[in-house]
C-alpha cells in the first residue's frame, strides 16, 4: 500500500483541540488484492458513538504488533486484553481519547480497540459476521508528568482515540 504519491503523503491525519493526533487513514485500492482475498472491515455500524454507554471495566481487545511481535508464518497480529479505565464518552482531560488499562507496548499504536457484543445486545444493527464494536484506536501509554520516575512506577494506563475520528477522516 503506497503511502506517498508524487512526493506527498496520501493519508489523512486527525486533529484534536490540542493539535495533531496519531490517527490516520489511508484509502485501500481493493483491486490490488488477489481475487481470492477475503477481508472484512468495520463499517459505521461498528463504531461505538461516545454518547452510547460503555461501563468502566468493560472487557476490550487490542489487536496489534507489540514490539513488532507477530505470527511470522502468516503475518498475523496478536491480541491483548484490556478494560475501559475512564468514563467512556467523557473525553479524558478534554482530549479526544479515553483510557484503557492493559499491558500494551510500543508498536501497538494504531491498533483497533474493540469490544465483543452479542446479537442480543445490539439486535440486528450489526452485520452478523463481525460481532465487534470499534471503540477506538490505541495511541500509546499515558505517563503522568508529575510522577517521580525514580520512585513512582508507571500507571500502566493507555490512551485510545475515540473511533468517531475515523468518520471525520473519511468524510468526502
Amino acid at each position: 500500500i503506497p503511502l506517498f504519491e508524487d512526493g506527498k503523503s496520501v493519508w489523512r491525519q486527525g486533529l484534536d483541540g490540542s493539535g495533531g493526533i496519531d490517527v490516520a487513514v489511508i484509502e485501500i485500492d481493493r483491486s490490488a488484492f488477489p481475487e481470492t482475498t477475503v477481508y472484512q472491515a468495520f463499517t459505521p455500524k461498528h463504531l461505538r458513538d461516545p454518547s452510547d454507554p460503555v461501563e468502566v471495566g468493560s472487557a476490550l481487545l487490542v489487536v496489534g504488533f507489540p514490539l513488532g511481535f507477530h505470527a511470522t508464518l502468516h503475518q498475523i497480529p496478536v491480541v491483548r486484553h484490556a478494560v475501559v479505565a475512564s468514563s467512556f464518552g467523557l473525553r479524558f482531560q478534554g482530549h479526544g481519547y479515553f483510557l484503557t488499562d492493559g499491558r500494551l507496548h510500543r508498536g501497538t499504536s494504531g491498533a483497533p480497540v474493540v469490544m465483543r457484543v452479542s446479537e442480543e445486545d445490539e439486535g440486528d444493527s450489526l452485520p452478523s459476521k463481525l460481532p465487534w464494536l470499534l471503540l477506538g484506536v490505541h495511541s500509546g501509554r499515558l505517563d503522568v508528568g508529575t510522577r517521580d520516575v525514580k520512585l513512582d512506577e508507571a500507571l500502566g494506563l493507555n490512551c485510545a482515540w475515540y473511533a468517531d475520528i475515523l468518520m471525520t477522516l473519511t468524510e468526502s
Side-chain angles (χ1 to χ4, degrees), residues 125-153:
S125 64
L126 281 180
S128 61
K129 293 185 179 185
L130 201 58
W132 303 95
L133 287 175
L134 179 64
L135 270 60
V137 178
H138 174 70
S139 173
R141 289 183 296 250
L142 175 74
D143 194 14
V144 180
T146 58
R147 77 179 175 98
D148 183 323
V149 292
K150 291 182 181 177
L151 297 177
D152 301 326
E153 60 186 273

Side-chain angles (χ1 to χ4, degrees), residues 87-131:
S87 295
F88 189 84
L90 297 177
R91 297 179 182 268
F92 191 79
Q93 306 283 13
H95 298 287
Y97 57 77
F98 62 98
L99 298 182
T100 65
D101 186 357
R103 190 167 180 212
L104 304 177
H105 297 83
R106 188 175 42 79
T108 311
S109 183
V113 177
V114 299
M115 180 174 71
R116 186 170 184 81
V117 292
S118 67
E119 288 184 28
E120 296 166 1
D121 293 336
E122 293 298 315
D124 61 357
S125 64
L126 281 180
S128 61
K129 293 185 179 185
L130 201 58

Side-chain angles (χ1 to χ4, degrees), residues 11 13 34 37 42 47 52 57-58 68-69 83 113 119 154 162 165 170:
W11 64 81
Q13 188 165 349
T37 300
F42 292 111
L47 275 60
D52 291 340
S58 293
F69 182 76
V83 297
V113 177
E119 288 184 28
Y162 284 98
I165 185 65
T170 56

Side-chain angles (χ1 to χ4, degrees), residues 42-71:
F42 292 111
T43 68
K45 285 185 176 184
H46 293 100
L47 275 60
R48 175 66 84 175
D49 188 289
S51 65
D52 291 340
V54 175
E55 289 186 34
V56 170
S58 293
L60 305 171
L61 296 178
V62 182
V63 183
F65 300 89
L67 303 176
F69 182 76
H70 62 286

